[in-house]
Amino acid sequence: MEIRPLVVTLLALAIPATLTVVGLLAPRRAGLASAAALGLATLFAGATALLGGAGALVRVDAATSAMLLLVGALAAVIVRYSRTCLDGDPRLDHYLRWLLLTLAAITTLVVTSSLLVLAIAWGLASVTLHQLLTWYADRPAALVAAHKKFLVSRLADACLVAALWLLYAEVGSFDLDDVAAFVASSRTLPMALEIGAVFLVLAVALRTAQLPFHGWITQVMEAPTPVSALLHAGVVNVGGFVLIRLAPWLGQAGAAQLLLVVIGIVSATVGALVMTTRVSVKVALAWSTIAQLGLMLVQCGLGLWSLALLHLVAHSLYKAHAFLSAGSAVDEWRVKALRAKPTPPGAARVVVASAAAVAVAVAALWIVPAAVGPADVVFGLLLALALVPLLTARAPVAGVAAQVALVIGLYLGGHALAGYVMPTGHGAPHAAGWWITSAGLALLFVLKTALQLRGALARALHPWLFAGLFLDELFTRWTFRLWPPSLPDAPPAVRPPAALTSSLELPS
């Protein structure tokens, strides 16, 4: 074996191996293990950049390096936060063990070059995470939410097995390079791979909490806060990474791409609207995750693989920070409660603000000398419109215009960097995908504007959005009839002594 493949292979495999060994034998050393994982990820990224070449058993590319650095950094922060959050808990060793094993499964999924190993690691990550979601086993709400996730994950496993079976029957290999070579050599994608790609999309949609299989992710808040951060920042994002890994295959599967766009835009639109009605900070963040992952699926369905990778990394960092800082939300709310509530803006101001944001975005996109494609225009305008509430809050227009320009510049720079890490060119999206995406984003903007204006339409929509369109209730009713959760017996009611009850004067 050549030295370069051996070096990168050992560095990559050492990360999940370290997490697994420490998790099983010395979970109290979790902090050291997470630091070692981050260090090894840094060495792997450096070796990949300097040595290049292919590794044995592992996938050696810039996307692997980026994901390992992301997971390593998140692991170090979450493990440190967990020790503080659960300080004094007699079961801390048990908690850290399952946390490290979950991280080991995720890093195995990231580094492997075999789809079979990827599927096994994905399933193991679900099983180990289940132990963390049911950390408080005496809480029925926690058990019900974890049971929902268990059912959805097993259905996703069935879809993934079907996809891999069809793939192996056609290609004869689970290796990522063999799959890419087979697809590249085929003039048209065989029907088995078309159907397999659809099953793969369904598996990813189930694992990423897309509607109507989303209820569990909004109800697992009974778990410790660092578990929520791990779930939203790392575990559910894995679905997007799997799609990126299989870009050569999915890029040629038109039906699967269109299905990704439809599922993603519906979840993104509904999730973003429902999020505005939430009172709980964590539940609002959960609906935000549904919407963000839906948008990530749309990007994959449109063939924007580098943009999806940028979205994945940015969303992971944002959600980790949001959940780990959720404890200060009460203090922030108290400060805001002391201030006078702003009056809703008028329709004319919203129109003017939207026009100003779009004008600044168009100018920024035109000034940047780099090549700007249709995706940059669509998502650049989306970012600008997302900042419209700042313009309608009586803020100085010049200052907010500068913020819009800065956000557009950061977006274009990040997209260019992601394009270097994950080159595009795997297939072309169906024209219908762009029309569906544009219509969905336009509808989202119109409805969010209507909610902001607080008129008759907002009053009619609010009860339905507050209930999440009752989708989770329907899902729960049907699935629990087939497989109800096992809940602990309720403690017997405590009745007062007879002497006390006899002395009470009850109203007639």
Side-chain angles (χ1 to χ4, degrees):
M1 182 181 294
E2 297 182 5
I3 185 64
R4 289 186 301 180
L6 178 61
V7 170
V8 293
T9 298
L10 292 178
L11 286 174
L13 296 181
I15 298 174
T18 300
L19 295 171
T20 302
V21 171
V22 175
L24 292 175
L25 301 181
R28 286 279 177 173
R29 302 292 183 181
L32 181 61
S34 60
L38 179 57
L40 290 170
T42 304
L43 291 176
F44 176 86
T48 301
L50 295 175
L51 301 179
L57 306 176
V58 302
R59 183 77 169 180
V60 181
D61 55 20
T64 305
S65 299
M67 285 298 298
L68 284 180
L69 289 172
L70 173 65
V71 175
L74 292 177
V77 173
I78 291 174
V79 167
R80 179 67 182 87
Y81 189 99
S82 296
R83 297 185 70 93
T84 302
C85 180
L86 298 175
D87 187 25
D89 194 315
R91 298 181 298 159
L92 180 60
D93 285 1
H94 182 73
Y95 168 89
L96 293 174
R97 176 175 294 110
W98 289 113
L99 177 62
L100 291 179
L101 292 178
T102 302
L103 293 169
I106 294 174
T107 52
T108 301
L109 181 151
V110 169
V111 304
T112 183
S113 61
S114 170
L115 282 174
L116 181 60
V117 176
L118 183 149
I120 295 173
W122 206 0
L124 288 176
S126 174
V127 173
T128 54
L129 181 67
H130 185 82
Q131 308 302 318
L132 298 174
L133 296 178
T134 56
W135 180 248
Y136 299 114
D138 57 336
R139 299 182 181 180
L143 298 181
V144 168
H147 183 70
K148 286 185 183 181
K149 183 188 182 302
F150 181 84
L151 295 179
V152 172
S153 297
R154 300 297 73 78
L155 183 58
D157 290 340
C159 292
L160 185 59
V161 168
L164 294 184
W165 179 75
L166 291 170
L167 173 71
Y168 188 82
E170 194 69 36
V171 179
S173 173
F174 290 115
D175 188 79
L176 290 171
D177 291 330
D178 292 342
V179 174
F182 181 88
V183 172
S185 63
S186 303
R187 298 183 59 183
T188 58
L189 200 64
M191 182 57 64
L193 293 188
E194 288 275 7
I195 298 174
V198 171
F199 275 114
L200 177 64
V201 168
L202 294 176
V204 171
L206 289 165
R207 285 291 180 86
T208 52
Q210 298 298 280
L211 272 62
F213 308 100
H214 64 286
W216 61 269
I217 202 171
T218 65
Q219 299 165 8
V220 292
M221 304 307 169
E222 295 288 336
T225 295
V227 176
S228 298
L230 174 64
L231 171 64
H232 290 262
V235 177
V236 293
N237 286 326
V238 167
F241 180 73
V242 171
L243 294 177
I244 293 171
R245 272 284 188 250
L246 295 170
W249 176 17
L250 291 171
Q252 304 300 325
Q257 282 187 300
L258 193 58
L259 182 60
L260 273 174
V261 172
V262 172
I263 293 175
I265 200 64
V266 170
S267 295
T269 302
V270 176
L273 292 174
V274 173
M275 181 185 66
T276 62
T277 68
R278 298 297 95 182
V279 177
S280 168
V281 175
K282 286 189 175 182
V283 176
L285 290 174
W287 278 101
S288 170
T289 296
I290 296 171
Q292 294 287 344
L293 293 177
L295 190 58
M296 190 187 304
L297 296 192
V298 170
Q299 292 162 350
C300 292
L302 295 176
L304 307 174
W305 306 106
S306 59
L307 188 57
L309 180 62
L310 172 64
H311 195 161
L312 189 158
V313 174
H315 178 256
S316 296
L317 295 175
Y318 156 64
K319 275 298 159 57
H321 174 268
F323 271 98
L324 296 181
S325 62
S328 60
V330 175
D331 295 332
E332 295 177 1
W333 177 85
R334 288 173 177 170
V335 173
K336 293 180 180 179
L338 297 175
R339 302 172 183 170
K341 294 183 179 180
T343 58
R349 184 170 178 80
V350 172
V351 171
V352 173
S354 302
V358 170
V360 172
V362 170
L365 293 171
W366 180 75
I367 292 174
V368 175
V372 176
D376 296 316
V377 175
V378 172
F379 289 98
L381 293 177
L382 175 64
L383 287 173
L385 292 176
L387 296 175
V388 166
L390 294 177
L391 289 170
T392 58
R394 308 293 179 181
V397 176
V400 178
Q403 294 182 46
V404 173
L406 177 61
V407 169
I408 298 296
L410 291 174
Y411 159 74
L412 292 176
H415 192 190
L417 179 61
Y420 171 77
V421 174
M422 175 68 194
T424 56
H426 299 296
H430 198 280
W434 280 106
W435 285 107
I436 294 172
T437 301
S438 301
L441 295 178
L443 177 63
L444 173 60
F445 177 72
V446 170
L447 293 180
K448 288 203 72 172
T449 302
L451 292 175
Q452 186 181 10
L453 295 176
R454 304 178 188 176
L457 181 58
R459 289 192 295 271
L461 288 176
H462 189 276
W464 288 87
L465 294 176
F466 186 78
L469 304 183
F470 300 98
L471 295 175
D472 181 57
E473 285 75 10
L474 294 175
F475 170 80
T476 303
R477 183 182 305 167
W478 286 103
T479 54
F480 280 22
R481 285 180 181 177
L482 299 175
W483 193 343
S486 178
L487 300 178
D489 295 332
V494 178
R495 303 184 63 181
L500 180 60
T501 57
S502 64
S503 65
L504 295 177
E505 294 183 2
L506 299 180
S508 56

